[in-house]
mmCIF file of all heavy atoms in Angstrom:
data_model
loop_
_atom_site.group_PDB
_atom_site.id
_atom_site.type_symbol
_atom_site.label_atom_id
_atom_site.label_comp_id
_atom_site.label_asym_id
_atom_site.label_seq_id
_atom_site.Cartn_x
_atom_site.Cartn_y
_atom_site.Cartn_z
ATOM 1 N N ALA A 27 -0.165 14.829 36.187
ATOM 2 C CA ALA A 27 -0.645 15.561 35.040
ATOM 3 C C ALA A 27 -1.704 16.473 35.469
ATOM 4 O O ALA A 27 -1.841 17.533 35.078
ATOM 5 C CB ALA A 27 -1.319 14.571 34.086
ATOM 6 N N ARG A 28 -2.516 16.064 36.546
ATOM 7 C CA ARG A 28 -3.676 16.991 37.018
ATOM 8 C C ARG A 28 -3.060 18.279 37.742
ATOM 9 O O ARG A 28 -3.615 19.264 37.640
ATOM 10 C CB ARG A 28 -4.680 16.225 38.028
ATOM 11 C CG ARG A 28 -5.661 15.377 37.281
ATOM 12 C CD ARG A 28 -6.670 14.709 38.365
ATOM 13 N NE ARG A 28 -6.107 13.724 39.108
ATOM 14 C CZ ARG A 28 -6.131 12.422 38.892
ATOM 15 N NH1 ARG A 28 -6.829 12.079 37.870
ATOM 16 N NH2 ARG A 28 -5.555 11.557 39.755
ATOM 17 N N SER A 29 -1.964 18.036 38.435
ATOM 18 C CA SER A 29 -1.432 19.232 39.255
ATOM 19 C C SER A 29 -0.604 20.116 38.598
ATOM 20 O O SER A 29 -0.350 21.105 39.079
ATOM 21 C CB SER A 29 -0.536 18.457 40.406
ATOM 22 O OG SER A 29 0.578 17.832 39.819
ATOM 23 N N ARG A 30 -0.207 19.864 37.164
ATOM 24 C CA ARG A 30 0.658 20.692 36.593
ATOM 25 C C ARG A 30 0.135 21.544 35.494
ATOM 26 O O ARG A 30 0.733 22.190 34.766
ATOM 27 C CB ARG A 30 1.810 19.894 36.061
ATOM 28 C CG ARG A 30 2.731 19.041 37.149
ATOM 29 C CD ARG A 30 4.021 18.548 36.535
ATOM 30 N NE ARG A 30 4.784 19.543 36.117
ATOM 31 C CZ ARG A 30 6.043 19.294 35.406
ATOM 32 N NH1 ARG A 30 6.371 18.069 35.077
ATOM 33 N NH2 ARG A 30 6.804 20.345 35.073
ATOM 34 N N VAL A 31 -1.120 21.602 35.340
ATOM 35 C CA VAL A 31 -1.823 22.276 34.211
ATOM 36 C C VAL A 31 -1.418 23.616 34.315
ATOM 37 O O VAL A 31 -1.063 24.235 33.308
ATOM 38 C CB VAL A 31 -3.267 22.057 34.123
ATOM 39 C CG1 VAL A 31 -3.941 22.905 33.140
ATOM 40 C CG2 VAL A 31 -3.640 20.569 34.024
ATOM 41 N N VAL A 32 -1.776 24.376 35.414
ATOM 42 C CA VAL A 32 -1.533 25.812 35.516
ATOM 43 C C VAL A 32 -0.006 26.107 35.315
ATOM 44 O O VAL A 32 0.214 27.090 34.517
ATOM 45 C CB VAL A 32 -2.086 26.376 36.740
ATOM 46 C CG1 VAL A 32 -1.702 27.794 36.995
ATOM 47 C CG2 VAL A 32 -3.518 26.044 36.991
ATOM 48 N N GLU A 33 0.844 25.426 35.949
ATOM 49 C CA GLU A 33 2.196 25.807 35.835
ATOM 50 C C GLU A 33 2.733 25.599 34.470
ATOM 51 O O GLU A 33 3.392 26.467 33.874
ATOM 52 C CB GLU A 33 2.897 24.726 36.642
ATOM 53 C CG GLU A 33 4.455 24.656 36.537
ATOM 54 C CD GLU A 33 5.034 23.322 36.774
ATOM 55 O OE1 GLU A 33 4.409 22.407 37.419
ATOM 56 O OE2 GLU A 33 6.209 23.083 36.262
ATOM 57 N N LEU A 34 2.346 24.461 33.773
ATOM 58 C CA LEU A 34 2.885 24.212 32.364
ATOM 59 C C LEU A 34 2.192 25.220 31.322
ATOM 60 O O LEU A 34 2.861 25.573 30.440
ATOM 61 C CB LEU A 34 2.651 22.892 31.965
ATOM 62 C CG LEU A 34 3.493 21.799 32.742
ATOM 63 C CD1 LEU A 34 3.082 20.331 32.413
ATOM 64 C CD2 LEU A 34 4.952 22.051 32.509
ATOM 65 N N LYS A 35 0.961 25.547 31.497
ATOM 66 C CA LYS A 35 0.358 26.362 30.566
ATOM 67 C C LYS A 35 0.904 27.761 30.396
ATOM 68 O O LYS A 35 1.046 28.351 29.467
ATOM 69 C CB LYS A 35 -1.211 26.508 30.818
ATOM 70 C CG LYS A 35 -2.176 25.492 30.411
ATOM 71 C CD LYS A 35 -3.489 25.761 30.454
ATOM 72 C CE LYS A 35 -4.028 26.787 29.589
ATOM 73 N NZ LYS A 35 -5.490 27.050 29.723
ATOM 74 N N ALA A 36 1.500 28.200 31.593
ATOM 75 C CA ALA A 36 2.088 29.441 31.688
ATOM 76 C C ALA A 36 3.336 29.512 30.909
ATOM 77 O O ALA A 36 3.825 30.497 30.467
ATOM 78 C CB ALA A 36 2.347 29.809 33.168
ATOM 79 N N LYS A 37 3.903 28.266 30.637
ATOM 80 C CA LYS A 37 5.198 28.244 29.867
ATOM 81 C C LYS A 37 4.901 27.737 28.410
ATOM 82 O O LYS A 37 5.666 27.319 27.686
ATOM 83 C CB LYS A 37 6.114 27.223 30.571
ATOM 84 C CG LYS A 37 6.499 27.561 31.890
ATOM 85 C CD LYS A 37 7.315 26.437 32.616
ATOM 86 C CE LYS A 37 7.542 26.706 34.083
ATOM 87 N NZ LYS A 37 8.335 25.622 34.740
ATOM 88 N N HIS A 38 3.620 27.850 27.915
ATOM 89 C CA HIS A 38 3.203 27.268 26.595
ATOM 90 C C HIS A 38 3.410 25.777 26.533
ATOM 91 O O HIS A 38 3.792 25.410 25.373
ATOM 92 C CB HIS A 38 3.813 28.155 25.534
ATOM 93 C CG HIS A 38 3.476 29.571 25.608
ATOM 94 N ND1 HIS A 38 2.328 30.054 25.255
ATOM 95 C CD2 HIS A 38 4.325 30.591 25.999
ATOM 96 C CE1 HIS A 38 2.241 31.376 25.351
ATOM 97 N NE2 HIS A 38 3.521 31.756 25.785
ATOM 98 N N LYS A 39 3.349 25.080 27.606
ATOM 99 C CA LYS A 39 3.480 23.694 27.542
ATOM 100 C C LYS A 39 2.095 23.085 28.071
ATOM 101 O O LYS A 39 1.310 23.742 28.703
ATOM 102 C CB LYS A 39 4.582 23.107 28.390
ATOM 103 C CG LYS A 39 5.965 23.710 27.964
ATOM 104 C CD LYS A 39 7.097 23.250 28.879
ATOM 105 C CE LYS A 39 8.414 23.975 28.359
ATOM 106 N NZ LYS A 39 9.477 23.417 29.286
ATOM 107 N N TYR A 40 1.928 21.744 27.924
ATOM 108 C CA TYR A 40 0.684 21.142 28.486
ATOM 109 C C TYR A 40 0.885 19.663 28.949
ATOM 110 O O TYR A 40 1.626 18.964 28.170
ATOM 111 C CB TYR A 40 -0.373 21.205 27.291
ATOM 112 C CG TYR A 40 -1.784 21.337 27.901
ATOM 113 C CD1 TYR A 40 -2.402 22.622 28.135
ATOM 114 C CD2 TYR A 40 -2.528 20.131 28.262
ATOM 115 C CE1 TYR A 40 -3.545 22.709 28.690
ATOM 116 C CE2 TYR A 40 -3.859 20.407 28.752
ATOM 117 C CZ TYR A 40 -4.317 21.544 29.011
ATOM 118 O OH TYR A 40 -5.519 21.686 29.642
ATOM 119 N N PRO A 41 0.283 19.397 30.030
ATOM 120 C CA PRO A 41 0.526 18.007 30.589
ATOM 121 C C PRO A 41 -0.178 17.022 29.858
ATOM 122 O O PRO A 41 -1.401 17.134 29.499
ATOM 123 C CB PRO A 41 0.182 18.108 32.054
ATOM 124 C CG PRO A 41 -0.907 19.186 32.065
ATOM 125 C CD PRO A 41 -0.439 20.188 30.996
ATOM 126 N N VAL A 42 0.328 15.849 29.516
ATOM 127 C CA VAL A 42 -0.262 14.674 28.961
ATOM 128 C C VAL A 42 0.111 13.355 29.774
ATOM 129 O O VAL A 42 1.280 13.303 30.305
ATOM 130 C CB VAL A 42 0.110 14.348 27.528
ATOM 131 C CG1 VAL A 42 -0.293 15.598 26.624
ATOM 132 C CG2 VAL A 42 1.565 14.281 27.304
ATOM 133 N N TYR A 43 -0.760 12.421 29.913
ATOM 134 C CA TYR A 43 -0.469 11.121 30.523
ATOM 135 C C TYR A 43 -0.764 10.039 29.461
ATOM 136 O O TYR A 43 -1.972 10.004 29.057
ATOM 137 C CB TYR A 43 -1.211 11.022 31.785
ATOM 138 C CG TYR A 43 -1.216 9.646 32.460
ATOM 139 C CD1 TYR A 43 -0.001 9.343 32.886
ATOM 140 C CD2 TYR A 43 -2.217 8.718 32.468
ATOM 141 C CE1 TYR A 43 0.223 8.017 33.567
ATOM 142 C CE2 TYR A 43 -2.171 7.479 33.089
ATOM 143 C CZ TYR A 43 -0.801 7.184 33.541
ATOM 144 O OH TYR A 43 -0.842 5.950 34.090
ATOM 145 N N PHE A 44 0.101 9.316 29.111
ATOM 146 C CA PHE A 44 -0.061 8.284 28.322
ATOM 147 C C PHE A 44 0.212 6.924 28.950
ATOM 148 O O PHE A 44 0.945 6.715 29.892
ATOM 149 C CB PHE A 44 0.910 8.269 27.064
ATOM 150 C CG PHE A 44 0.867 9.634 26.207
ATOM 151 C CD1 PHE A 44 1.903 10.293 25.671
ATOM 152 C CD2 PHE A 44 -0.410 10.185 25.954
ATOM 153 C CE1 PHE A 44 1.790 11.391 24.882
ATOM 154 C CE2 PHE A 44 -0.603 11.322 25.171
ATOM 155 C CZ PHE A 44 0.513 11.944 24.742
ATOM 156 N N PHE A 45 -0.629 5.885 28.472
ATOM 157 C CA PHE A 45 -0.609 4.598 29.281
ATOM 158 C C PHE A 45 -0.811 3.473 28.251
ATOM 159 O O PHE A 45 -1.293 3.714 27.108
ATOM 160 C CB PHE A 45 -1.715 4.477 30.296
ATOM 161 C CG PHE A 45 -2.965 4.907 29.680
ATOM 162 C CD1 PHE A 45 -3.894 3.953 29.254
ATOM 163 C CD2 PHE A 45 -3.537 6.259 29.732
ATOM 164 C CE1 PHE A 45 -5.143 4.225 28.736
ATOM 165 C CE2 PHE A 45 -4.802 6.529 29.185
ATOM 166 C CZ PHE A 45 -5.561 5.570 28.751
ATOM 167 N N LYS A 46 -0.519 2.305 28.614
ATOM 168 C CA LYS A 46 -0.793 1.073 27.852
ATOM 169 C C LYS A 46 -2.232 0.590 28.120
ATOM 170 O O LYS A 46 -2.734 0.515 29.309
ATOM 171 C CB LYS A 46 0.086 -0.136 28.087
ATOM 172 C CG LYS A 46 1.630 0.184 27.757
ATOM 173 C CD LYS A 46 2.371 -1.095 27.787
ATOM 174 C CE LYS A 46 3.765 -0.767 27.207
ATOM 175 N NZ LYS A 46 3.829 -0.391 25.810
ATOM 176 N N SER A 47 -3.001 0.235 27.108
ATOM 177 C CA SER A 47 -4.422 -0.113 27.203
ATOM 178 C C SER A 47 -4.582 -1.409 27.851
ATOM 179 O O SER A 47 -3.793 -2.356 27.533
ATOM 180 C CB SER A 47 -5.094 -0.185 25.869
ATOM 181 O OG SER A 47 -6.342 -0.612 25.970
ATOM 182 N N ASP A 48 -5.496 -1.555 28.954
ATOM 183 C CA ASP A 48 -5.632 -2.749 29.540
ATOM 184 C C ASP A 48 -7.253 -3.008 29.871
ATOM 185 O O ASP A 48 -7.469 -3.665 30.876
ATOM 186 C CB ASP A 48 -4.838 -2.918 30.839
ATOM 187 C CG ASP A 48 -5.135 -1.825 31.904
ATOM 188 O OD1 ASP A 48 -5.973 -0.919 31.516
ATOM 189 O OD2 ASP A 48 -4.485 -1.834 32.966
ATOM 190 N N THR A 49 -8.028 -2.275 29.298
ATOM 191 C CA THR A 49 -9.451 -2.218 29.599
ATOM 192 C C THR A 49 -10.208 -3.291 28.767
ATOM 193 O O THR A 49 -9.760 -3.612 27.605
ATOM 194 C CB THR A 49 -10.043 -0.877 29.447
ATOM 195 O OG1 THR A 49 -9.727 -0.301 28.158
ATOM 196 C CG2 THR A 49 -9.480 0.023 30.499
ATOM 197 N N THR A 50 -11.344 -3.708 29.252
ATOM 198 C CA THR A 50 -12.192 -4.655 28.634
ATOM 199 C C THR A 50 -12.632 -4.255 27.214
ATOM 200 O O THR A 50 -13.101 -3.160 27.080
ATOM 201 C CB THR A 50 -13.350 -4.905 29.445
ATOM 202 O OG1 THR A 50 -13.033 -5.553 30.706
ATOM 203 C CG2 THR A 50 -14.452 -5.907 28.772
ATOM 204 N N GLY A 51 -12.559 -5.108 26.272
ATOM 205 C CA GLY A 51 -13.155 -4.903 24.930
ATOM 206 C C GLY A 51 -12.374 -4.160 23.991
ATOM 207 O O GLY A 51 -12.797 -3.869 22.841
ATOM 208 N N GLU A 52 -11.110 -3.742 24.321
ATOM 209 C CA GLU A 52 -10.313 -3.056 23.413
ATOM 210 C C GLU A 52 -9.652 -3.939 22.389
ATOM 211 O O GLU A 52 -8.918 -4.811 22.741
ATOM 212 C CB GLU A 52 -9.199 -2.210 24.158
ATOM 213 C CG GLU A 52 -9.814 -0.889 24.769
ATOM 214 C CD GLU A 52 -10.342 -0.024 23.902
ATOM 215 O OE1 GLU A 52 -9.991 0.082 22.725
ATOM 216 O OE2 GLU A 52 -11.259 0.699 24.281
ATOM 217 N N LYS A 53 -9.847 -3.714 21.056
ATOM 218 C CA LYS A 53 -9.281 -4.511 20.023
ATOM 219 C C LYS A 53 -7.914 -4.041 19.710
ATOM 220 O O LYS A 53 -7.596 -2.872 19.641
ATOM 221 C CB LYS A 53 -10.132 -4.565 18.759
ATOM 222 C CG LYS A 53 -10.014 -5.755 17.873
ATOM 223 C CD LYS A 53 -11.171 -5.719 16.839
ATOM 224 C CE LYS A 53 -11.137 -7.035 16.071
ATOM 225 N NZ LYS A 53 -12.272 -6.961 15.103
ATOM 226 N N ASP A 54 -6.968 -5.056 19.496
ATOM 227 C CA ASP A 54 -5.612 -4.764 19.348
ATOM 228 C C ASP A 54 -5.275 -4.185 17.914
ATOM 229 O O ASP A 54 -4.277 -3.573 17.700
ATOM 230 C CB ASP A 54 -4.693 -5.996 19.473
ATOM 231 C CG ASP A 54 -4.670 -6.480 20.932
ATOM 232 O OD1 ASP A 54 -4.943 -5.758 21.851
ATOM 233 O OD2 ASP A 54 -4.678 -7.735 21.151
ATOM 234 N N PHE A 55 -6.220 -4.413 16.980
ATOM 235 C CA PHE A 55 -5.973 -3.984 15.615
ATOM 236 C C PHE A 55 -7.298 -3.713 14.970
ATOM 237 O O PHE A 55 -8.382 -4.015 15.388
ATOM 238 C CB PHE A 55 -5.226 -5.062 14.718
ATOM 239 C CG PHE A 55 -5.990 -6.348 14.782
ATOM 240 C CD1 PHE A 55 -6.729 -6.763 13.808
ATOM 241 C CD2 PHE A 55 -5.752 -7.434 15.881
ATOM 242 C CE1 PHE A 55 -7.461 -7.881 13.724
ATOM 243 C CE2 PHE A 55 -6.335 -8.533 15.820
ATOM 244 C CZ PHE A 55 -7.296 -8.981 14.837
ATOM 245 N N GLU A 56 -7.210 -3.116 13.710
ATOM 246 C CA GLU A 56 -8.377 -2.540 13.046
ATOM 247 C C GLU A 56 -8.680 -3.531 11.878
ATOM 248 O O GLU A 56 -7.749 -3.899 11.166
ATOM 249 C CB GLU A 56 -8.152 -1.200 12.496
ATOM 250 C CG GLU A 56 -9.403 -0.456 12.186
ATOM 251 C CD GLU A 56 -9.841 0.566 13.249
ATOM 252 O OE1 GLU A 56 -9.062 1.542 13.373
ATOM 253 O OE2 GLU A 56 -10.744 0.276 13.937
ATOM 254 N N GLU A 57 -9.950 -3.931 11.663
ATOM 255 C CA GLU A 57 -10.346 -4.750 10.547
ATOM 256 C C GLU A 57 -11.863 -4.353 10.209
ATOM 257 O O GLU A 57 -12.600 -4.066 10.993
ATOM 258 C CB GLU A 57 -10.175 -6.175 10.755
ATOM 259 C CG GLU A 57 -10.879 -6.756 11.951
ATOM 260 C CD GLU A 57 -10.541 -8.254 12.172
ATOM 261 O OE1 GLU A 57 -10.114 -8.926 11.243
ATOM 262 O OE2 GLU A 57 -10.793 -8.730 13.298
ATOM 263 N N PHE A 58 -12.077 -4.442 8.931
ATOM 264 C CA PHE A 58 -13.404 -4.153 8.447
ATOM 265 C C PHE A 58 -14.171 -5.368 7.926
ATOM 266 O O PHE A 58 -15.427 -5.196 7.669
ATOM 267 C CB PHE A 58 -13.348 -2.971 7.447
ATOM 268 C CG PHE A 58 -12.939 -1.702 7.953
ATOM 269 C CD1 PHE A 58 -11.648 -1.302 7.823
ATOM 270 C CD2 PHE A 58 -13.875 -0.865 8.603
ATOM 271 C CE1 PHE A 58 -11.368 -0.084 8.368
ATOM 272 C CE2 PHE A 58 -13.419 0.295 9.020
ATOM 273 C CZ PHE A 58 -12.188 0.769 9.016
ATOM 274 N N TYR A 59 -13.511 -6.432 7.732
ATOM 275 C CA TYR A 59 -14.121 -7.572 7.182
ATOM 276 C C TYR A 59 -13.341 -8.701 7.596
ATOM 277 O O TYR A 59 -12.387 -8.760 8.171
ATOM 278 C CB TYR A 59 -14.164 -7.579 5.576
ATOM 279 C CG TYR A 59 -12.826 -7.292 5.007
ATOM 280 C CD1 TYR A 59 -11.893 -8.281 4.786
ATOM 281 C CD2 TYR A 59 -12.476 -6.005 4.671
ATOM 282 C CE1 TYR A 59 -10.573 -8.022 4.263
ATOM 283 C CE2 TYR A 59 -11.194 -5.662 4.154
ATOM 284 C CZ TYR A 59 -10.291 -6.640 3.896
ATOM 285 O OH TYR A 59 -9.012 -6.316 3.343
ATOM 286 N N THR A 60 -14.097 -10.091 7.480
ATOM 287 C CA THR A 60 -13.412 -11.294 7.929
ATOM 288 C C THR A 60 -13.000 -12.105 6.744
ATOM 289 O O THR A 60 -13.189 -11.748 5.479
ATOM 290 C CB THR A 60 -14.529 -12.088 8.760
ATOM 291 O OG1 THR A 60 -15.584 -12.408 7.913
ATOM 292 C CG2 THR A 60 -14.963 -11.287 9.999
ATOM 293 N N ASP A 61 -12.325 -13.121 6.977
ATOM 294 C CA ASP A 61 -11.803 -13.997 5.877
ATOM 295 C C ASP A 61 -12.772 -14.625 5.039
ATOM 296 O O ASP A 61 -12.491 -14.958 3.832
ATOM 297 C CB ASP A 61 -10.655 -14.919 6.486
ATOM 298 C CG ASP A 61 -9.481 -14.375 7.050
ATOM 299 O OD1 ASP A 61 -9.158 -13.173 6.720
ATOM 300 O OD2 ASP A 61 -8.930 -15.041 7.950
ATOM 301 N N ASN A 62 -14.019 -14.828 5.566
ATOM 302 C CA ASN A 62 -14.969 -15.623 4.807
ATOM 303 C C ASN A 62 -15.983 -14.722 4.228
ATOM 304 O O ASN A 62 -17.052 -15.203 3.848
ATOM 305 C CB ASN A 62 -15.683 -16.621 5.799
ATOM 306 C CG ASN A 62 -16.317 -16.036 7.043
ATOM 307 O OD1 ASN A 62 -16.232 -14.711 7.111
ATOM 308 N ND2 ASN A 62 -17.028 -16.737 7.745
ATOM 309 N N GLU A 63 -15.810 -13.347 4.265
ATOM 310 C CA GLU A 63 -16.804 -12.526 3.591
ATOM 311 C C GLU A 63 -16.235 -12.125 2.110
ATOM 312 O O GLU A 63 -15.093 -12.067 1.833
ATOM 313 C CB GLU A 63 -16.792 -11.065 4.239
ATOM 314 C CG GLU A 63 -17.520 -11.333 5.708
ATOM 315 C CD GLU A 63 -17.713 -10.090 6.532
ATOM 316 O OE1 GLU A 63 -16.826 -9.431 6.752
ATOM 317 O OE2 GLU A 63 -18.860 -9.932 7.071
ATOM 318 N N THR A 64 -17.219 -12.054 1.171
ATOM 319 C CA THR A 64 -16.946 -11.760 -0.162
ATOM 320 C C THR A 64 -16.845 -10.333 -0.443
ATOM 321 O O THR A 64 -17.600 -9.445 -0.060
ATOM 322 C CB THR A 64 -18.055 -12.278 -1.020
ATOM 323 O OG1 THR A 64 -18.264 -13.782 -0.741
ATOM 324 C CG2 THR A 64 -17.743 -12.075 -2.496
ATOM 325 N N LEU A 65 -15.725 -9.892 -1.022
ATOM 326 C CA LEU A 65 -15.374 -8.501 -1.245
ATOM 327 C C LEU A 65 -15.371 -8.060 -2.715
ATOM 328 O O LEU A 65 -14.966 -8.847 -3.537
ATOM 329 C CB LEU A 65 -13.956 -8.166 -0.639
ATOM 330 C CG LEU A 65 -13.742 -8.582 0.768
ATOM 331 C CD1 LEU A 65 -12.342 -8.090 1.181
ATOM 332 C CD2 LEU A 65 -14.728 -7.916 1.741
ATOM 333 N N VAL A 66 -15.871 -6.697 -3.012
ATOM 334 C CA VAL A 66 -15.621 -6.117 -4.247
ATOM 335 C C VAL A 66 -14.792 -4.908 -4.033
ATOM 336 O O VAL A 66 -15.233 -3.985 -3.324
ATOM 337 C CB VAL A 66 -17.043 -5.719 -4.802
ATOM 338 C CG1 VAL A 66 -16.872 -4.952 -6.121
ATOM 339 C CG2 VAL A 66 -17.831 -7.034 -5.093
ATOM 340 N N MET A 67 -13.601 -4.868 -4.677
ATOM 341 C CA MET A 67 -12.697 -3.768 -4.324
ATOM 342 C C MET A 67 -12.372 -2.904 -5.480
ATOM 343 O O MET A 67 -11.538 -2.082 -5.434
ATOM 344 C CB MET A 67 -11.365 -4.484 -3.786
ATOM 345 C CG MET A 67 -11.430 -5.269 -2.608
ATOM 346 S SD MET A 67 -11.955 -4.469 -1.129
ATOM 347 C CE MET A 67 -10.420 -3.591 -0.698
ATOM 348 N N ASP A 68 -13.066 -3.139 -6.623
ATOM 349 C CA ASP A 68 -12.772 -2.246 -7.795
ATOM 350 C C ASP A 68 -13.952 -1.529 -8.368
ATOM 351 O O ASP A 68 -13.730 -0.806 -9.314
ATOM 352 C CB ASP A 68 -12.244 -3.381 -8.942
ATOM 353 C CG ASP A 68 -13.346 -4.342 -9.326
ATOM 354 O OD1 ASP A 68 -14.499 -4.373 -8.741
ATOM 355 O OD2 ASP A 68 -13.108 -5.145 -10.221
ATOM 356 N N LYS A 69 -14.947 -1.338 -7.522
ATOM 357 C CA LYS A 69 -16.195 -0.558 -7.987
ATOM 358 C C LYS A 69 -15.818 0.949 -7.709
ATOM 359 O O LYS A 69 -16.289 1.872 -8.449
ATOM 360 C CB LYS A 69 -17.445 -1.070 -7.362
ATOM 361 C CG LYS A 69 -18.629 -0.266 -7.915
ATOM 362 C CD LYS A 69 -20.042 -0.911 -7.374
ATOM 363 C CE LYS A 69 -21.151 -0.268 -7.984
ATOM 364 N NZ LYS A 69 -22.385 -0.825 -7.425
ATOM 365 N N PHE A 70 -15.143 1.193 -6.607
ATOM 366 C CA PHE A 70 -14.996 2.599 -6.203
ATOM 367 C C PHE A 70 -13.493 2.783 -6.026
ATOM 368 O O PHE A 70 -12.756 1.829 -5.720
ATOM 369 C CB PHE A 70 -15.825 2.948 -4.863
ATOM 370 C CG PHE A 70 -17.341 2.960 -4.999
ATOM 371 C CD1 PHE A 70 -18.002 1.788 -4.643
ATOM 372 C CD2 PHE A 70 -17.919 3.989 -5.522
ATOM 373 C CE1 PHE A 70 -19.261 1.750 -4.792
ATOM 374 C CE2 PHE A 70 -19.210 3.950 -5.771
ATOM 375 C CZ PHE A 70 -20.006 2.872 -5.264
ATOM 376 N N GLU A 71 -13.100 4.051 -5.932
ATOM 377 C CA GLU A 71 -11.614 4.428 -5.878
ATOM 378 C C GLU A 71 -11.190 4.138 -4.261
ATOM 379 O O GLU A 71 -10.082 3.492 -4.044
ATOM 380 C CB GLU A 71 -11.318 5.884 -6.053
ATOM 381 C CG GLU A 71 -11.522 6.252 -7.570
ATOM 382 C CD GLU A 71 -10.253 5.840 -8.323
ATOM 383 O OE1 GLU A 71 -9.227 5.693 -7.671
ATOM 384 O OE2 GLU A 71 -10.369 5.783 -9.667
#
């Protein structure tokens, strides 16, 4: 990816490098509350 930037940009292309996450502290999913927290879901849209 580092070596092909100039070459690919000239062709209106761009290098990307995608990978599987394996670093410390990355959560697998998104959540905003826990099962034991009390929620109000009807006050706002």
Side-chain angles (χ1 to χ4, degrees):
R28 278 189 289 264
S29 67
R30 298 191 67 188
V31 176
V32 175
E33 167 211 342
L34 291 174
K35 279 188 72 175
K37 303 174 184 177
H38 300 287
K39 300 178 180 181
Y40 211 87
V42 297
Y43 174 67
F44 299 144
F45 55 88
K46 291 192 179 299
S47 177
D48 62 355
T49 52
T50 293
E52 286 298 331
K53 203 168 187 176
D54 297 329
F55 56 93
E56 199 101 74
E57 59 183 338
F58 291 96
Y59 50 85
T60 62
D61 292 339
N62 60 356
E63 289 180 315
T64 302
L65 306 181
V66 173
M67 301 297 282
D68 56 0
K69 186 173 182 178
F70 296 96
E71 291 280 341

